[in-house]
Amino acid sequence: MRYWLLLTVFGSILAINPSVSAQETISFEEYTLIHDGLERLFLLYIPPQYDGITPMPLVFMLHGGGGNPYVYEEISAFGEKAREEGFILVYPAGTGRLQRLLTWNAGFCCGYAHTQDVDDVGFFSAMIDLLTDTYVVDESRIYVAGHSNGGMMAYRLGAELSDRIAAVGVMAGTIGSYATPDSDNLYIIPQPQNPVSVIHIHGMADENVRYEGGINSDDALSTRNDLSVGNAMTFWVAVNQCETTPSTEWRDEDMVQTDIYACDATGTGVTLISIVDGGHSWAGGQIIRREADEPSQRVSATDEIWAFFEAHPKP
């Protein structure tokens, strides 16, 4: 089914960064579409390089649980990266009873979207249809990035829309979990039908989505028993038929470890960046809420994810 962009535009949202001149102000447009009986919001940025002729990459950036698109542009500055590098950028909004506290239905988490069984996979499929119909998109370069609950959703999308998504970039997410600490029912993303490149960035001091897996902190959006980062790597290494032993690089006085898995058989890639003292915030980003972890500045998740996306089109 094809969807047409609703011409309900709520106005421009300006993303102003001190390093960006007045002539280069990044302006997002607000749009809505109707999916599964719900009016869904997304922010759209078309960079100045777009000419309507040359196909351009399309990147979706997913906010974390309890966040929203506006806050995550402030946190990640993905709009500035889109302006510099020339790709179409979309910040979709999750759902929730409060419009500023939104979540995604990652299958096991989180909040309103999960308890109401919101069809977020269908929502993303509809957005891809709509945007590829409306703009000249390079359909071998459709990517999804996300943080926390948004990273969990990115993994689910990579699995269920593997025919369309070239790569996913996850900061502080997991591929599955027991929805409660004492549950016996494990949810894990389904087996993709096609290979999908993956870059995962995670702080080893993260208490919200623990690096080694297990029960997260009591003050998290939902208390779960998560699978580990190692589980995620094992899953995607198998999907992409990668070598099981990565090449490893260290930097920043051995506080950042990068594991690169060779996946020559499928023309994909799997990369893990581990930040020894990193917490649950977007690495290299800004801190918005006082109670949030201080973002590690050892790595820029925005830079790392885009560089990985740029190097990994759909094989």
Side-chain angles (χ1 to χ4, degrees), residues 171-172 201-213 216-217 229 255 273-281 293-294 296 298:
M171 177 80 216
I201 306 171
H202 214 111
M204 297 180 75
D206 188 337
E207 295 184 355
N208 195 311
V209 182
R210 296 186 187 277
Y211 188 90
E212 298 295 342
N216 57 344
S217 60
V229 172
M255 296 300 285
I273 300 177
S274 306
I275 307 168
V276 172
D277 57 352
H280 191 66
S281 294
D293 291 345
E294 186 71 31
S296 172
R298 299 185 188 279

Side-chain angles (χ1 to χ4, degrees), residues 22-152:
Q23 289 76 24
E24 297 171 324
T25 299
I26 298 161
S27 179
F28 289 85
E29 300 274 337
E30 287 187 347
Y31 291 96
T32 60
L33 65 81
I34 305 298
H35 175 72
D36 199 28
L38 297 176
E39 185 176 75
R40 303 297 301 268
L41 170 73
F42 63 91
L43 307 186
L44 176 65
Y45 174 68
I46 305 296
Q49 298 93 324
Y50 182 78
D51 60 9
I53 300 172
T54 307
M56 184 166 277
L58 171 62
V59 176
F60 294 90
M61 173 61 188
L62 280 60
H63 61 77
N68 61 71
Y70 317 97
V71 167
Y72 265 76
E73 171 55 21
E74 291 184 61
I75 290 173
S76 70
F78 239 106
E80 184 177 350
K81 182 62 64 176
R83 177 187 59 80
E84 291 174 352
E85 300 293 339
F87 58 86
I88 297 169
L89 176 62
V90 181
Y91 276 99
T95 55
R97 291 187 176 88
L98 298 176
Q99 292 302 307
R100 309 295 288 189
L101 298 172
L102 308 174
T103 58
W104 302 105
N105 180 12
F108 58 92
C109 177
C110 295
Y112 177 90
H114 178 234
T115 60
Q116 300 300 308
D117 196 24
V118 174
D119 181 19
D120 279 325
V121 174
F123 171 47
F124 275 85
S125 184
M127 282 192 293
I128 293 172
D129 284 346
L130 183 156
L131 292 164
T132 54
D133 278 353
T134 307
Y135 298 97
V136 182
V137 171
D138 183 345
E139 296 194 42
S140 71
R141 293 181 178 270
I142 298 176
Y143 305 107
V144 182
H147 176 231
S148 189
N149 177 216
M152 300 169 192

